[in-house]
Amino acid sequence: MSTHAAIAAHANRAVPGYLVSALAMTPTAGMGAAVQPRNPADPLASLGHSKVHERETTLFSEGDAAGSVFRVLSGMVRLYKMLPDGRRQIIGFLQAGDMMGLAFASQYLYTAETVTATTIQRIPRLELDALMDAQPAFARKLLSATTSELIAAQDQMVLLGRKSAAEKVATFLLRLSDRKGGERTIDLPMGRSDIADHLGLTTETVSRTLTKLKSTRLIRILVGGKLDLLDRDALADLAGGF
Amino acid sequence: MSTHAAIAAHANRAVPGYLVSALAMTPTAGMGAAVQPRNPADPLASLGHSKVHERETTLFSEGDAAGSVFRVLSGMVRLYKMLPDGRRQIIGFLQAGDMMGLAFASQYLYTAETVTATTIQRIPRLELDALMDAQPAFARKLLSATTSELIAAQDQMVLLGRKSAAEKVATFLLRLSDRKGGERTIDLPMGRSDIADHLGLTTETVSRTLTKLKSTRLIRILVGGKLDLLDRDALADLAGGF
DNA sequence: CGGCTGATTGATGACCGTCAATGAAGGTGG
DNA sequence: CCACCTTCATTGACGGTCATCAATCAGCCG
Protein backbone atom coordinates (compact mmCIF):
# COMPACT_ATOMS: atom_id res chain seq x y z
CA MET A 1 0.00 0.00 0.00
CA SER A 2 0.87 3.62 -0.04
CA THR A 3 4.38 4.28 -1.18
CA HIS A 4 5.02 0.82 -2.34
CA ALA A 5 1.67 -0.12 -3.65
CA ALA A 6 1.95 -2.16 -6.77
CA ILE A 7 0.37 -1.52 -10.11
CA ALA A 8 -2.57 -3.59 -8.96
CA ALA A 9 -3.37 -1.02 -6.34
CA HIS A 10 -3.35 1.85 -8.76
CA ALA A 11 -5.66 0.05 -11.15
CA ASN A 12 -8.34 0.68 -8.54
CA ARG A 13 -7.98 4.41 -8.65
CA ALA A 14 -10.91 6.49 -9.76
CA VAL A 15 -8.70 8.94 -11.60
CA PRO A 16 -6.03 7.49 -13.84
CA GLY A 17 -2.72 9.12 -13.19
CA TYR A 18 -0.22 10.74 -15.42
CA LEU A 19 3.03 11.02 -13.64
CA VAL A 20 4.92 14.21 -13.66
CA SER A 21 8.49 13.41 -12.90
CA ALA A 22 11.78 15.14 -13.28
CA LEU A 23 14.71 14.18 -15.42
CA ALA A 24 18.00 15.92 -15.87
CA MET A 25 19.63 15.57 -19.20
CA THR A 26 22.48 17.68 -17.97
CA PRO A 27 24.04 15.79 -15.07
CA THR A 28 26.73 18.38 -14.56
CA ALA A 29 24.48 21.42 -14.71
CA GLY A 30 25.99 24.00 -12.43
CA MET A 31 24.48 26.94 -10.65
CA GLY A 32 21.47 28.30 -12.45
CA ALA A 33 22.65 26.96 -15.78
CA ALA A 34 20.01 26.80 -18.46
CA VAL A 35 19.72 23.84 -20.80
CA GLN A 36 21.25 24.65 -24.13
CA PRO A 37 18.79 24.33 -27.00
CA ARG A 38 21.02 22.59 -29.54
CA ASN A 39 23.34 20.46 -27.49
CA PRO A 40 24.35 17.47 -29.67
CA ALA A 41 24.76 15.29 -26.55
CA ASP A 42 21.13 15.89 -25.63
CA PRO A 43 18.87 13.36 -27.37
CA LEU A 44 15.82 15.49 -26.58
CA ALA A 45 17.18 18.68 -28.09
CA SER A 46 15.47 18.35 -31.45
CA LEU A 47 12.09 17.22 -30.14
CA GLY A 48 8.97 19.33 -29.71
CA HIS A 49 9.28 23.09 -29.40
CA SER A 50 10.09 25.61 -26.73
CA LYS A 51 8.16 28.54 -25.36
CA VAL A 52 8.71 31.16 -22.70
CA HIS A 53 5.99 31.36 -20.05
CA GLU A 54 5.49 34.29 -17.70
CA ARG A 55 5.71 33.93 -13.93
CA GLU A 56 2.70 32.47 -12.11
CA THR A 57 1.29 30.73 -15.14
CA THR A 58 -0.46 27.36 -15.13
CA LEU A 59 1.13 24.85 -17.49
CA PHE A 60 -1.40 22.11 -16.85
CA SER A 61 -3.77 21.08 -14.10
CA GLU A 62 -4.42 17.91 -12.18
CA GLY A 63 -6.90 15.90 -14.20
CA ASP A 64 -6.18 17.47 -17.60
CA ALA A 65 -5.83 15.09 -20.51
CA ALA A 66 -2.13 14.35 -20.83
CA GLY A 67 -0.58 14.30 -24.26
CA SER A 68 2.82 15.85 -23.79
CA VAL A 69 5.93 15.69 -21.70
CA PHE A 70 7.63 18.89 -20.59
CA ARG A 71 11.17 19.91 -19.82
CA VAL A 72 12.27 23.00 -17.98
CA LEU A 73 15.05 24.77 -19.86
CA SER A 74 15.33 27.74 -17.51
CA GLY A 75 13.38 29.26 -14.66
CA MET A 76 11.40 27.48 -11.96
CA VAL A 77 8.19 25.47 -11.84
CA ARG A 78 6.22 24.13 -8.89
CA LEU A 79 4.22 20.91 -8.93
CA TYR A 80 1.44 20.40 -6.45
CA LYS A 81 -1.55 18.34 -5.48
CA MET A 82 -4.59 19.69 -3.70
CA LEU A 83 -7.07 18.16 -1.32
CA PRO A 84 -10.75 18.81 -2.02
CA ASP A 85 -10.89 21.50 0.66
CA GLY A 86 -8.00 23.45 -0.79
CA ARG A 87 -5.05 22.30 1.30
CA ARG A 88 -2.04 22.14 -0.96
CA GLN A 89 1.09 20.02 -0.96
CA ILE A 90 3.91 21.09 -3.22
CA ILE A 91 5.52 17.95 -4.54
CA GLY A 92 8.62 19.67 -5.77
CA PHE A 93 10.23 22.61 -7.47
CA LEU A 94 11.65 22.03 -10.95
CA GLN A 95 14.66 23.77 -12.38
CA ALA A 96 16.65 23.68 -15.60
CA GLY A 97 16.96 20.10 -16.84
CA ASP A 98 14.02 18.66 -14.94
CA MET A 99 11.21 16.96 -16.77
CA MET A 100 7.56 16.41 -16.04
CA GLY A 101 4.91 14.19 -17.56
CA LEU A 102 6.79 10.93 -17.90
CA ALA A 103 4.08 8.52 -16.80
CA PHE A 104 1.86 6.21 -18.75
CA ALA A 105 -1.65 7.31 -18.08
CA SER A 106 -4.22 9.56 -19.66
CA GLN A 107 -4.38 12.42 -17.19
CA TYR A 108 -1.93 14.67 -15.40
CA LEU A 109 -1.69 13.79 -11.75
CA TYR A 110 -1.11 17.26 -10.47
CA THR A 111 -0.80 20.87 -11.38
CA ALA A 112 2.28 22.57 -12.78
CA GLU A 113 2.75 26.32 -12.50
CA THR A 114 5.65 28.60 -13.24
CA VAL A 115 7.19 30.40 -10.27
CA THR A 116 9.39 32.69 -12.30
CA ALA A 117 9.43 33.39 -16.03
CA THR A 118 10.31 29.99 -17.45
CA THR A 119 11.32 28.45 -20.74
CA ILE A 120 9.53 25.16 -21.29
CA GLN A 121 10.11 22.55 -23.96
CA ARG A 122 6.94 20.65 -24.82
CA ILE A 123 7.44 17.20 -26.28
CA PRO A 124 4.50 15.18 -27.60
CA ARG A 125 4.38 11.73 -26.03
CA LEU A 126 4.50 10.10 -29.46
CA GLU A 127 7.87 11.66 -30.17
CA LEU A 128 9.23 10.54 -26.84
CA ASP A 129 8.00 7.00 -27.42
CA ALA A 130 9.68 6.96 -30.80
CA LEU A 131 12.95 8.04 -29.21
CA MET A 132 12.69 5.31 -26.61
CA ASP A 133 12.20 2.73 -29.37
CA ALA A 134 15.09 4.07 -31.39
CA GLN A 135 17.50 4.36 -28.47
CA PRO A 136 17.21 1.71 -25.78
CA ALA A 137 19.88 3.55 -23.80
CA PHE A 138 17.52 6.47 -23.58
CA ALA A 139 14.84 4.33 -21.98
CA ARG A 140 17.36 3.38 -19.32
CA LYS A 141 18.18 7.00 -18.75
CA LEU A 142 14.54 7.71 -18.18
CA LEU A 143 14.34 4.85 -15.72
CA SER A 144 17.39 6.10 -13.91
CA ALA A 145 15.95 9.61 -13.70
CA THR A 146 12.62 8.38 -12.40
CA THR A 147 14.49 6.38 -9.84
CA SER A 148 16.33 9.48 -8.68
CA GLU A 149 12.98 11.16 -8.32
CA LEU A 150 11.78 8.35 -6.16
CA ILE A 151 14.81 8.62 -3.93
CA ALA A 152 14.18 12.32 -3.51
CA ALA A 153 10.53 11.61 -2.75
CA GLN A 154 11.56 9.24 -0.01
CA ASP A 155 13.83 11.83 1.57
CA GLN A 156 10.91 14.21 1.47
CA MET A 157 8.78 11.66 3.31
CA VAL A 158 11.32 11.57 6.12
CA LEU A 159 11.26 15.34 6.25
CA LEU A 160 7.48 15.61 6.28
CA GLY A 161 6.87 12.75 8.66
CA ARG A 162 9.61 13.11 11.20
CA LYS A 163 11.29 16.52 11.21
CA SER A 164 10.55 19.62 13.25
CA ALA A 165 9.89 22.99 11.67
CA ALA A 166 13.47 24.15 12.21
CA GLU A 167 14.86 20.90 10.77
CA LYS A 168 12.58 21.18 7.76
CA VAL A 169 13.63 24.70 6.91
CA ALA A 170 17.32 23.99 7.44
CA THR A 171 17.09 20.90 5.24
CA PHE A 172 15.30 22.84 2.55
CA LEU A 173 17.93 25.55 2.46
CA LEU A 174 20.75 23.03 2.32
CA ARG A 175 19.07 21.19 -0.53
CA LEU A 176 18.78 24.41 -2.51
CA SER A 177 22.45 25.03 -1.91
CA ASP A 178 23.41 21.50 -2.92
CA ARG A 179 21.44 21.86 -6.07
CA LYS A 180 23.64 24.83 -6.92
CA GLY A 181 26.80 22.87 -6.25
CA GLY A 182 27.14 23.93 -2.63
CA GLU A 183 27.00 27.67 -3.21
CA ARG A 184 26.77 29.82 -0.10
CA THR A 185 24.26 32.16 -1.71
CA ILE A 186 20.99 30.68 -2.87
CA ASP A 187 17.86 31.92 -4.65
CA LEU A 188 14.44 31.82 -3.09
CA PRO A 189 12.26 32.86 -6.02
CA MET A 190 9.18 31.21 -4.51
CA GLY A 191 7.06 32.83 -1.84
CA ARG A 192 6.81 31.84 1.82
CA SER A 193 3.55 30.03 1.23
CA ASP A 194 5.18 27.92 -1.48
CA ILE A 195 7.91 26.94 0.93
CA ALA A 196 5.32 26.26 3.62
CA ASP A 197 3.24 24.04 1.36
CA HIS A 198 6.35 22.13 0.37
CA LEU A 199 7.48 21.54 3.95
CA GLY A 200 4.11 20.86 5.54
CA LEU A 201 4.10 24.12 7.51
CA THR A 202 2.36 27.51 7.40
CA THR A 203 3.78 30.75 6.04
CA GLU A 204 3.94 32.16 9.56
CA THR A 205 6.03 29.28 10.83
CA VAL A 206 8.38 29.51 7.86
CA SER A 207 8.78 33.21 8.44
CA ARG A 208 9.38 32.81 12.17
CA THR A 209 11.90 30.03 11.57
CA LEU A 210 13.84 32.10 9.06
CA THR A 211 13.84 35.01 11.48
CA LYS A 212 15.28 32.77 14.16
CA LEU A 213 17.98 31.49 11.80
CA LYS A 214 18.75 35.08 10.94
CA SER A 215 19.04 36.21 14.55
CA THR A 216 21.31 33.27 15.40
CA ARG A 217 23.58 34.28 12.51
CA LEU A 218 23.10 31.04 10.56
CA ILE A 219 21.72 32.81 7.52
CA ARG A 220 21.45 36.28 6.11
CA ILE A 221 18.47 37.39 4.06
CA LEU A 222 19.37 39.51 1.06
CA VAL A 223 17.29 41.65 -1.23
CA GLY A 224 15.63 40.14 -4.28
CA GLY A 225 14.79 36.76 -2.78
CA LYS A 226 18.38 35.78 -2.18
CA LEU A 227 19.81 34.26 0.97
CA ASP A 228 23.26 33.58 2.38
CA LEU A 229 24.14 30.45 4.31
CA LEU A 230 26.53 31.83 6.90
CA ASP A 231 27.17 28.62 8.82
CA ARG A 232 26.71 25.51 6.78
CA ASP A 233 27.86 23.18 9.54
CA ALA A 234 25.45 24.58 12.07
CA LEU A 235 22.65 24.33 9.52
CA ALA A 236 23.57 20.71 8.81
CA ASP A 237 23.38 19.97 12.52
CA LEU A 238 20.01 21.64 12.73
CA ALA A 239 18.79 19.72 9.70
CA GLY A 240 19.22 16.51 11.66
CA GLY A 241 20.71 14.45 8.88
CA PHE A 242 19.33 14.76 5.41
CA MET B 1 14.90 20.49 -5.63
CA SER B 2 13.81 17.97 -3.17
CA THR B 3 11.25 15.71 -4.71
CA HIS B 4 12.03 16.80 -8.15
CA ALA B 5 15.69 17.30 -7.83
CA ALA B 6 17.45 16.19 -10.92
CA ILE B 7 20.26 13.73 -11.25
CA ALA B 8 22.65 16.58 -10.87
CA ALA B 9 21.47 17.15 -7.35
CA HIS B 10 21.93 13.56 -6.33
CA ALA B 11 25.43 13.49 -7.68
CA ASN B 12 26.33 15.65 -4.71
CA ARG B 13 25.16 13.11 -2.15
CA ALA B 14 27.66 11.77 0.31
CA VAL B 15 26.17 8.31 0.27
CA PRO B 16 25.35 6.84 -3.11
CA GLY B 17 21.85 5.51 -3.17
CA TYR B 18 20.41 2.21 -4.19
CA LEU B 19 16.77 2.56 -4.74
CA VAL B 20 14.38 0.09 -3.32
CA SER B 21 11.23 0.28 -5.32
CA ALA B 22 8.21 -1.90 -5.78
CA LEU B 23 7.06 -3.61 -8.92
CA ALA B 24 4.08 -5.83 -9.44
CA MET B 25 4.47 -8.46 -12.05
CA THR B 26 0.92 -9.58 -11.36
CA PRO B 27 -1.31 -6.62 -12.19
CA THR B 28 -4.47 -8.57 -11.39
CA ALA B 29 -3.27 -10.01 -8.11
CA GLY B 30 -6.27 -10.26 -5.85
CA MET B 31 -6.59 -10.35 -2.11
CA GLY B 32 -3.54 -11.76 -0.41
CA ALA B 33 -2.58 -13.72 -3.48
CA ALA B 34 0.98 -14.97 -3.52
CA VAL B 35 3.09 -14.79 -6.64
CA GLN B 36 3.23 -18.15 -8.32
CA PRO B 37 6.75 -19.46 -8.67
CA ARG B 38 6.52 -20.87 -12.20
CA ASN B 39 4.10 -18.60 -13.98
CA PRO B 40 5.05 -18.60 -17.69
CA ALA B 41 3.72 -15.05 -18.09
CA ASP B 42 6.19 -13.84 -15.47
CA PRO B 43 9.54 -13.00 -17.03
CA LEU B 44 11.19 -12.97 -13.63
CA ALA B 45 10.00 -16.41 -12.61
CA SER B 46 13.14 -18.28 -13.58
CA LEU B 47 15.62 -15.79 -12.20
CA GLY B 48 17.52 -16.00 -8.92
CA HIS B 49 16.21 -18.16 -6.13
CA SER B 50 13.62 -17.96 -3.39
CA LYS B 51 13.85 -18.28 0.35
CA VAL B 52 11.47 -18.08 3.26
CA HIS B 53 12.43 -15.56 5.95
CA GLU B 54 10.97 -15.53 9.46
CA ARG B 55 9.05 -12.56 10.82
CA GLU B 56 11.05 -9.55 12.04
CA THR B 57 14.16 -10.36 10.03
CA THR B 58 16.45 -7.83 8.37
CA LEU B 59 16.87 -8.40 4.64
CA PHE B 60 19.35 -5.59 4.13
CA SER B 61 20.26 -2.32 5.80
CA GLU B 62 20.65 1.25 4.64
CA GLY B 63 24.21 1.59 3.41
CA ASP B 64 24.86 -2.07 2.67
CA ALA B 65 26.56 -2.84 -0.62
CA ALA B 66 23.79 -3.55 -3.10
CA GLY B 67 24.14 -6.43 -5.51
CA SER B 68 20.69 -7.89 -5.77
CA VAL B 69 17.11 -7.02 -6.43
CA PHE B 70 14.34 -8.60 -4.35
CA ARG B 71 10.76 -9.54 -4.99
CA VAL B 72 8.19 -10.37 -2.35
CA LEU B 73 6.34 -13.56 -3.26
CA SER B 74 4.25 -13.74 -0.10
CA GLY B 75 4.15 -12.08 3.31
CA MET B 76 4.93 -8.48 4.16
CA VAL B 77 8.06 -6.33 4.29
CA ARG B 78 8.61 -2.82 5.63
CA LEU B 79 11.11 -0.35 4.19
CA TYR B 80 12.37 2.50 6.30
CA LYS B 81 14.90 5.27 6.66
CA MET B 82 16.25 6.49 9.97
CA LEU B 83 17.53 9.84 11.13
CA PRO B 84 20.79 9.82 13.12
CA ASP B 85 18.93 10.19 16.42
CA GLY B 86 16.74 7.17 15.78
CA ARG B 87 13.56 8.69 14.43
CA ARG B 88 12.17 6.37 11.81
CA GLN B 89 10.08 6.93 8.71
CA ILE B 90 8.55 3.86 7.10
CA ILE B 91 8.62 4.46 3.36
CA GLY B 92 6.21 1.68 2.55
CA PHE B 93 4.94 -1.81 3.19
CA LEU B 94 5.58 -4.39 0.47
CA GLN B 95 3.29 -7.29 -0.34
CA ALA B 96 3.19 -10.10 -2.87
CA GLY B 97 4.40 -8.89 -6.26
CA ASP B 98 6.29 -5.86 -5.02
CA MET B 99 9.96 -5.46 -5.78
CA MET B 100 12.80 -3.66 -4.06
CA GLY B 101 16.30 -2.73 -5.14
CA LEU B 102 15.69 -1.43 -8.64
CA ALA B 103 18.01 1.53 -8.57
CA PHE B 104 21.41 2.04 -10.10
CA ALA B 105 23.72 2.75 -7.26
CA SER B 106 26.13 0.84 -5.11
CA GLN B 107 24.38 0.93 -1.74
CA TYR B 108 20.92 0.26 -0.45
CA LEU B 109 19.17 3.46 0.45
CA TYR B 110 17.20 2.09 3.36
CA THR B 111 16.50 -0.89 5.46
CA ALA B 112 14.18 -3.76 4.57
CA GLU B 113 12.75 -6.03 7.27
CA THR B 114 10.09 -8.69 7.21
CA VAL B 115 6.94 -7.97 9.16
CA THR B 116 5.50 -11.48 8.86
CA ALA B 117 7.10 -14.69 7.65
CA THR B 118 7.88 -13.85 4.04
CA THR B 119 9.00 -15.58 0.88
CA ILE B 120 11.56 -13.50 -0.95
CA GLN B 121 13.01 -14.00 -4.40
CA ARG B 122 16.54 -12.70 -4.69
CA ILE B 123 17.68 -11.74 -8.16
CA PRO B 124 21.29 -10.73 -8.85
CA ARG B 125 21.45 -7.40 -10.64
CA LEU B 126 23.41 -8.96 -13.48
CA GLU B 127 20.55 -11.29 -14.28
CA LEU B 128 18.06 -8.46 -14.25
CA ASP B 129 20.24 -6.39 -16.55
CA ALA B 130 20.47 -9.30 -18.96
CA LEU B 131 16.70 -9.59 -18.99
CA MET B 132 16.34 -5.90 -19.70
CA ASP B 133 18.69 -6.21 -22.64
CA ALA B 134 16.93 -9.27 -24.00
CA GLN B 135 13.42 -7.89 -23.58
CA PRO B 136 13.02 -4.17 -24.18
CA ALA B 137 9.38 -4.48 -23.20
CA PHE B 138 10.52 -5.55 -19.77
CA ALA B 139 12.52 -2.40 -19.34
CA ARG B 140 9.39 -0.41 -20.05
CA LYS B 141 7.50 -2.45 -17.51
CA LEU B 142 10.11 -1.58 -14.94
CA LEU B 143 9.82 2.08 -15.82
CA SER B 144 6.06 1.90 -15.52
CA ALA B 145 6.30 0.21 -12.15
CA THR B 146 8.79 2.76 -10.83
CA THR B 147 6.48 5.47 -12.06
CA SER B 148 3.60 3.95 -10.10
CA GLU B 149 5.84 4.02 -7.07
CA LEU B 150 6.52 7.65 -7.57
CA ILE B 151 2.82 8.40 -7.81
CA ALA B 152 2.23 6.55 -4.56
CA ALA B 153 5.11 8.44 -2.96
CA GLN B 154 3.51 11.73 -3.96
CA ASP B 155 0.21 10.74 -2.42
CA GLN B 156 2.10 9.90 0.73
CA MET B 157 3.63 13.38 0.72
CA VAL B 158 0.16 14.90 0.70
CA LEU B 159 -0.79 12.65 3.59
CA LEU B 160 2.30 13.45 5.64
CA GLY B 161 2.36 17.15 4.92
CA ARG B 162 -1.27 18.13 5.00
CA LYS B 163 -3.51 15.60 6.71
CA SER B 164 -4.67 15.37 10.32
CA ALA B 165 -4.17 12.27 12.41
CA ALA B 166 -7.72 11.04 11.77
CA GLU B 167 -7.38 11.63 8.04
CA LYS B 168 -4.06 9.80 7.97
CA VAL B 169 -5.40 6.71 9.69
CA ALA B 170 -8.57 6.62 7.59
CA THR B 171 -6.54 6.99 4.41
CA PHE B 172 -4.21 4.23 5.50
CA LEU B 173 -7.04 1.81 6.17
CA LEU B 174 -8.72 2.56 2.85
CA ARG B 175 -5.45 2.01 1.01
CA LEU B 176 -5.04 -1.37 2.61
CA SER B 177 -8.56 -2.24 1.57
CA ASP B 178 -8.01 -1.01 -1.99
CA ARG B 179 -4.92 -3.09 -2.22
CA LYS B 180 -7.09 -6.11 -1.47
CA GLY B 181 -9.56 -5.17 -4.18
CA GLY B 182 -11.87 -3.25 -1.87
CA GLU B 183 -12.39 -5.98 0.71
CA ARG B 184 -14.23 -4.95 3.84
CA THR B 185 -11.92 -6.98 6.05
CA ILE B 186 -8.25 -6.10 6.02
CA ASP B 187 -5.08 -7.40 7.64
CA LEU B 188 -2.96 -5.33 9.97
CA PRO B 189 0.02 -7.60 10.48
CA MET B 190 2.27 -4.69 11.44
CA GLY B 191 2.35 -3.20 14.91
CA ARG B 192 1.02 0.17 15.97
CA SER B 193 4.49 1.68 15.97
CA ASP B 194 4.97 0.59 12.36
CA ILE B 195 1.74 2.32 11.40
CA ALA B 196 2.77 5.38 13.39
CA ASP B 197 6.17 5.59 11.71
CA HIS B 198 4.51 5.28 8.33
CA LEU B 199 1.97 8.05 8.97
CA GLY B 200 4.20 10.47 10.85
CA LEU B 201 2.44 9.90 14.19
CA THR B 202 3.11 8.17 17.52
CA THR B 203 1.77 4.78 18.59
CA GLU B 204 -0.43 6.50 21.16
CA THR B 205 -2.08 8.70 18.59
CA VAL B 206 -2.64 5.77 16.24
CA SER B 207 -4.18 3.80 19.07
CA ARG B 208 -6.42 6.65 20.18
CA THR B 209 -7.55 7.30 16.62
CA LEU B 210 -8.44 3.66 16.05
CA THR B 211 -10.35 3.64 19.33
CA LYS B 212 -12.33 6.65 18.18
CA LEU B 213 -13.11 5.01 14.84
CA LYS B 214 -14.22 1.95 16.73
CA SER B 215 -16.51 3.85 19.09
CA THR B 216 -18.10 5.72 16.19
CA ARG B 217 -18.81 2.37 14.49
CA LEU B 218 -16.68 3.09 11.42
CA ILE B 219 -14.47 0.08 12.02
CA ARG B 220 -14.40 -3.06 14.09
CA ILE B 221 -11.19 -4.52 15.40
CA LEU B 222 -10.99 -8.30 15.15
CA VAL B 223 -8.69 -10.81 16.71
CA GLY B 224 -5.43 -11.73 15.00
CA GLY B 225 -4.61 -8.31 13.62
CA LYS B 226 -7.67 -8.13 11.40
CA LEU B 227 -10.02 -5.19 11.03
CA ASP B 228 -13.45 -4.59 9.47
CA LEU B 229 -14.35 -1.41 7.60
CA LEU B 230 -17.97 -0.97 8.67
CA ASP B 231 -18.64 2.31 6.85
CA ARG B 232 -16.48 2.85 3.83
CA ASP B 233 -18.21 6.05 2.81
CA ALA B 234 -17.78 7.66 6.19
CA LEU B 235 -14.13 6.63 6.20
CA ALA B 236 -13.66 8.11 2.74
CA ASP B 237 -15.15 11.38 3.98
CA LEU B 238 -12.84 11.34 6.96
CA ALA B 239 -9.85 10.59 4.73
CA GLY B 240 -10.38 13.94 3.07
CA GLY B 241 -9.74 12.83 -0.47
CA PHE B 242 -6.98 10.40 -1.22
C1' DC C 1 0.30 -19.40 36.02
C1' DG C 2 3.92 -15.82 35.55
C1' DG C 3 6.48 -12.82 32.75
C1' DC C 4 7.04 -10.32 28.59
C1' DT C 5 5.76 -7.54 24.78
C1' DG C 6 2.68 -4.49 22.73
C1' DA C 7 -1.83 -1.87 23.01
C1' DT C 8 -4.68 1.18 25.43
C1' DT C 9 -5.90 5.02 28.28
C1' DG C 10 -4.85 9.15 31.01
C1' DA C 11 -2.61 13.69 32.27
C1' DT C 12 0.09 17.32 30.79
C1' DG C 13 2.33 20.51 27.89
C1' DA C 14 4.99 21.95 23.64
C1' DC C 15 4.99 22.93 19.08
C1' DC C 16 2.98 24.89 15.60
C1' DG C 17 -1.51 26.42 13.47
C1' DT C 18 -4.96 30.08 13.52
C1' DC C 19 -6.48 34.70 13.69
C1' DA C 20 -5.13 39.34 13.50
C1' DA C 21 -2.47 43.52 12.96
C1' DT C 22 1.49 45.82 11.25
C1' DG C 23 5.23 46.51 8.09
C1' DA C 24 7.76 46.26 3.79
C1' DA C 25 8.01 45.99 -1.11
C1' DG C 26 6.77 46.26 -5.78
C1' DG C 27 3.85 47.86 -9.49
C1' DT C 28 0.82 51.33 -11.54
C1' DG C 29 -0.88 55.66 -12.57
C1' DG C 30 -1.09 60.44 -11.97
C1' DC D 1 9.23 60.69 -9.72
C1' DC D 2 6.41 60.14 -6.11
C1' DA D 3 1.98 58.47 -4.08
C1' DC D 4 -1.16 55.01 -3.71
C1' DC D 5 -2.55 50.43 -3.66
C1' DT D 6 -2.01 45.69 -3.68
C1' DT D 7 0.48 41.78 -2.27
C1' DC D 8 3.41 39.44 0.69
C1' DA D 9 6.33 39.01 4.85
C1' DT D 10 6.69 39.69 9.63
C1' DT D 11 5.36 39.75 14.35
C1' DG D 12 2.14 38.98 18.19
C1' DA D 13 -1.46 36.57 21.05
C1' DC D 14 -3.86 32.57 21.70
C1' DG D 15 -5.49 27.84 21.33
C1' DG D 16 -5.66 23.05 19.47
C1' DT D 17 -3.63 18.99 18.00
C1' DC D 18 -0.69 15.76 18.91
C1' DA D 19 3.76 14.35 21.41
C1' DT D 20 5.49 13.02 25.78
C1' DC D 21 5.57 10.68 30.07
C1' DA D 22 3.42 7.22 32.69
C1' DA D 23 0.38 3.70 34.27
C1' DT D 24 -2.55 -0.09 33.45
C1' DC D 25 -4.35 -3.68 30.41
C1' DA D 26 -4.53 -7.50 27.17
C1' DG D 27 -2.48 -11.11 24.67
C1' DC D 28 0.96 -14.67 24.07
C1' DC D 29 4.34 -18.07 25.08
C1' DG D 30 6.91 -20.83 27.87
Side-chain angles (χ1 to χ4, degrees), chain A residues 114-128:
Chain A
T114 60
V115 175
T116 63
T118 303
T119 309
I120 300 283
Q121 179 182 11
R122 180 188 201 115
I123 304 169
R125 269 215 72 77
L126 292 175
E127 294 187 28
L128 193 78

Side-chain angles (χ1 to χ4, degrees), chain A residues 157-213:
Chain A
M157 284 188 225
V158 176
L159 180 147
L160 291 171
R162 286 292 172 234
K163 289 194 175 179
S164 70
E167 290 171 328
K168 286 175 177 180
V169 172
T171 304
F172 177 68
L173 295 179
L174 287 171
R175 281 182 190 165
L176 281 174
S177 172
D178 276 9
R179 170 86 204 229
K180 288 183 72 177
E183 283 285 312
R184 246 175 54 114
T185 302
I186 59 183
D187 284 307
L188 285 182
M190 71 291 284
R192 296 289 183 268
S193 69
D194 281 352
I195 299 174
D197 285 349
H198 184 48
L199 302 181
L201 300 170
T202 60
T203 61
E204 293 93 332
T205 299
V206 170
S207 183
R208 275 187 253 269
T209 306
L210 287 175
T211 300
K212 198 165 297 171
L213 291 178

